[in-house]
Amino acid sequence: MNNDLILLGHGSGGRLSHQLLDDLIIPIVSGTAPAGQNDAALLDPVAGQLAYTTDSFVVDPIFFPGGTIGSLAVHGTVNDLAMMGARPLWLSMGLILEEGFSKADLKVILEDMRQAADAAGVRIVTGDTKVVPRGKADKIFITTSGLGVVEHSFSIHGANAQAGDAIIINGTIGDHGIAVMADREGLKVSTTIRSDSAALNGLVAEIIAEAGEQLHVLRDPTRGGVATTIKEIAGQSAVSITLVEEDLPVDPAVRGVCSILGLDPLFVANEGKLLAFVAAEAAERVLARIRRHPLGEKAAIIGQVTAGEPGRVRMETAIGGIRAVEMLAGEQLPRIC
Amino acid sequence: MNNDLILLGHGSGGRLSHQLLDDLIIPIVSGTAPAGQNDAALLDPVAGQLAYTTDSFVVDPIFFPGGTIGSLAVHGTVNDLAMMGARPLWLSMGLILEEGFSKADLKVILEDMRQAADAAGVRIVTGDTKVVPRGKADKIFITTSGLGVVEHSFSIHGANAQAGDAIIINGTIGDHGIAVMADREGLKVSTTIRSDSAALNGLVAEIIAEAGEQLHVLRDPTRGGVATTIKEIAGQSAVSITLVEEDLPVDPAVRGVCSILGLDPLFVANEGKLLAFVAAEAAERVLARIRRHPLGEKAAIIGQVTAGEPGRVRMETAIGGIRAVEMLAGEQLPRIC
């Protein structure tokens, strides 16, 4: 037996499982002694409405410029809680490992998860590990779930966009998808492009503090990109939305790779971006506050909500035309998250 | 495009993802209209300590006598909450699908999840679906997490076993592992063997009602079987444990397959069994109550806790000897759950 590799026995629930937990997973992820493992974690009572979410992560490659599958799994779930206006508190972690996966790589991924969790102020409190035979999974898949608490009384959700709302994004679009894609394809052009993977809960707290109930919708444009997310919200809120192409922040290198690959950055995944729908009168104030945050320096107002046909999204193009925006059709970039 | 199969685009986050959610996943799993999907579910405040757990399920085959990967994923997570004495309330569901997986099979699995959730009195409130290219996963993996509430003031956990405690199991051991294994291997001998996969929260409520604070530990002997679970608890509680081989309930057909395959049922996985550590004076009363429950007809007292060497587990064998019981070493039955 090679001591550097994950074996089927590490998923048996028996002695090897306990060793992996005690020697590697628990010390890194929880930062506490491995004593007292139970079937579930017990958590202090929470005053307020709970937010609860889950996401599975299958990104390929598992290490990419700007992150790993581990930090991505933490950021993604923290962000889904933050998008409901909740304060993220606790995460769970389900690992599915391929037999023969490198323990050293697992260690790096777990350390990255822990660091991301610490930075976001959340704790990974419960987990599970399964191992499948070689060829039955690809290296490592991670499913995180998350729990948070809603500490304000107003409502932030996808059906709450209102005519007149300004739509703010906190920076450039498409960075995550293009960073992963360029790395996977070995494109040399891409050396400056990094995933934007980041926990947005700190920024959301700033936005809520500034906007209060003038904040109507928050959503992170991950798979499917800004186009798909905007289209979703237009449908849920039964409003029209107009985007202004010239106002969309796009990194020049990302734009370059997109044009080589024939991709529209509007459909490319982000992992550290949010769309905030804010009442018009608060928009400039909120934009200024976002720009003062490290994750919001390139924030911009990219469009607005109108009272037109429910679910319609249009874009004012750079050359002065108007085009319809639809959801991503088919699959542009498999295993992007 | 074949409309009967899962495509990469069903994991894109775009139009196909929305169709799969709206047409299949959400109506079956949640039983509600697909309107108003958000990044996280909002849940009513809960009075009391929360229990939180997660498990990934990679069982092969995905359909087996007595269950599917879907019901197993619900039962496993419900049971982990119940083993902390918590009342299970909500589940999350993360699906990882292989490109080309059958939509009809997915439908059966989701219906089985829903039925299991309804029977256990829990709701699946949030989920995620990813699709990986053909050959990068094996059909379907499901990661559930669960949330429950602890409604009593005494402590039920693995470090709470006390000298003198009787150890009760609610029925025969090894049924799940052998049902899956026999089905996978196509053993004809196995036609009567079914997985014991079941939600144990109802039975746990009965045990708590009967035993109160005389109930010290609850744990479900899943991967690694009764031997591994008992050994874990002996270590956590720093006690000795003696099991009595003759008192272990084993189905004759399971015993037969075990002897053919050279397996000890003590190490084989269960998915509808619990071990209850109960103060001696309450043991017969609790046993009688368990036996009145449909999931406890074959319940038995299988051993007791003593004040000997911390972590030591011994078995009084059927032929009158004593042998040491250790955790499962290596991997007996890969992908058993």
Side-chain angles (χ1 to χ4, degrees), chain B residues 13 18 86 90 96 118-119 121 129 135 139 144-145 159 174 205 212 216 224 236-237 291 311 333:
Chain B
H18 282 77
W90 300 295
I96 297 174
D118 285 352
T129 306
K139 299 184 190 75
T144 42
S145 79
H216 297 149
Q236 280 183 266
S237 293
R291 283 185 172 159
L333 304 170

Side-chain angles (χ1 to χ4, degrees), chain B residues 129-142:
Chain B
T129 306
K130 293 293 190 312
V131 181
V132 297
R134 219 178 272 267
K136 297 299 182 185
D138 189 15
K139 299 184 190 75
I140 178 171
F141 300 146
I142 302 179

Side-chain angles (χ1 to χ4, degrees), chain B residues 216-282:
Chain B
H216 297 149
V217 182
L218 282 174
R219 191 162 292 174
D220 52 342
T222 55
R223 282 180 295 174
V226 168
T228 301
T229 301
I230 291 282
K231 185 79 182 170
E232 272 175 18
I233 294 168
Q236 280 183 266
S237 293
V239 293
S240 281
I241 290 176
T242 303
L243 299 176
V244 180
E245 189 167 27
E246 286 195 313
D247 295 339
L248 286 167
V250 186
D251 178 88
V254 168
R255 194 186 293 282
V257 174
C258 278
S259 60
I260 292 171
L261 298 176
L263 298 172
D264 183 340
L266 203 62
F267 292 90
V268 177
N270 309 277
E271 292 290 345
K273 292 301 174 312
L274 58 79
L275 296 163
F277 287 58
V278 178
E281 61 270 28

Side-chain angles (χ1 to χ4, degrees), chain A residues 11 15 18 37-39 41 43 49-50 52-53 55-56 128-130 138 145 158 219 223 232 236 328, chain B residues 11-12 15 18 37-39 41 43 49-50 52-53 55-56 128-130 145 158 219 223 232 236 328:
Chain A
R15 193 168 46 77
H18 282 78
Q37 293 162 34
N38 282 296
D39 284 318
L43 307 171
Q49 207 176 22
L50 295 168
Y52 186 26
T53 192
D55 256 337
S56 292
D128 179 56
T129 306
K130 293 293 189 312
D138 190 15
S145 79
R219 190 162 292 175
R223 284 181 292 175
E232 272 174 17
Q236 280 182 267
L328 176 62
Chain B
S12 68
R15 193 168 47 79
H18 282 77
Q37 293 162 33
N38 282 294
D39 285 317
L43 307 171
Q49 208 175 20
L50 294 168
Y52 186 25
T53 191
D55 256 337
S56 293
D128 180 56
T129 306
K130 293 293 190 312
S145 79
R219 191 162 292 174
R223 282 180 295 174
E232 272 175 18
Q236 280 183 266
L328 176 64

Side-chain angles (χ1 to χ4, degrees), chain A residues 60-86:
Chain A
D60 169 41
I62 55 176
F63 302 107
F64 50 82
T68 73
I69 190 172
S71 49
L72 189 65
V74 170
H75 294 154
T77 290
V78 163
N79 291 349
D80 280 345
L81 295 173
M83 294 309 120
M84 300 305 289

Side-chain angles (χ1 to χ4, degrees), chain A residues 242-243 312-325:
Chain A
T242 303
L243 300 175
R312 187 178 67 184
V313 180
R314 298 194 302 179
M315 171 110 87
E316 294 178 8
T317 65
I319 55 168
I322 295 277
R323 69 171 171 95
V325 174

